[in-house]
Amino acid sequence: MASHDERAPEIGFDDFLKVDIRVGTIVEAAPFPEARKPAIRLVIDFGEEIGRKKSSAQITVHYEPEDLVGRQVIAVVNFPPRQIGPMRSEVLTLGVPDEAGEVVLLGPGHTVPNGGRMF
């Protein structure tokens, strides 16, 4: 597996299609002190088909929970859940590192319907 800084191995388009990446709107955000690393507990609404899912995100450097509600984000919705402290994280919220390596969330440039699949 490639580190965050090195390029991942080439894959086929069919492999890419196996990853279900969707847009959702954060409807709840709260500090998550039980996590090993500083994190925020998110509840993200992915629309009628997928519903609301929980996610733990290590985004405390750039974001406060109260500023996240209503923000649209991009997440992988078909990975198996992961136990993070007392919570099962159901989706992987996506971000990219800033110059210091801290997470900046990915999201659409315009408001779009929840549940839209990335292509």
Side-chain angles (χ1 to χ4, degrees), residues 5-119:
D5 294 329
E6 62 186 64
R7 191 168 173 190
E10 187 174 282
I11 62 170
F13 188 71
D14 289 340
D15 291 323
F16 171 75
L17 291 176
K18 293 176 186 175
V19 182
D20 194 353
I21 302 171
R22 305 279 181 138
V23 65
T25 300
I26 298 171
V27 294
E28 296 177 31
F32 190 21
E34 301 91 350
R36 238 179 336 144
K37 295 181 181 176
I40 297 176
R41 181 188 331 242
L42 304 173
V43 177
I44 306 169
D45 182 0
F46 290 97
E48 196 172 304
E49 180 184 340
I50 297 170
R52 292 181 174 197
K53 300 291 181 182
K54 297 177 194 165
S55 182
S56 172
Q58 296 172 3
I59 56 174
T60 58
V61 170
H62 291 299
Y63 304 97
E64 295 294 330
E66 59 271 13
D67 298 328
L68 291 167
V69 174
R71 180 187 186 106
Q72 287 196 302
V73 293
I74 305 294
V76 176
V77 299
N78 67 331
F79 284 159
R82 286 184 71 180
Q83 193 69 35
I84 300 177
M87 183 186 114
R88 282 178 64 92
S89 186
E90 301 171 298
V91 298
L92 175 64
T93 306
L94 300 177
V96 294
D98 66 8
E99 290 177 352
E102 300 297 339
V103 179
V104 175
L105 291 171
L106 292 177
H110 300 281
T111 302
V112 296
N114 288 335
R117 186 168 182 178
M118 189 179 87
F119 56 83

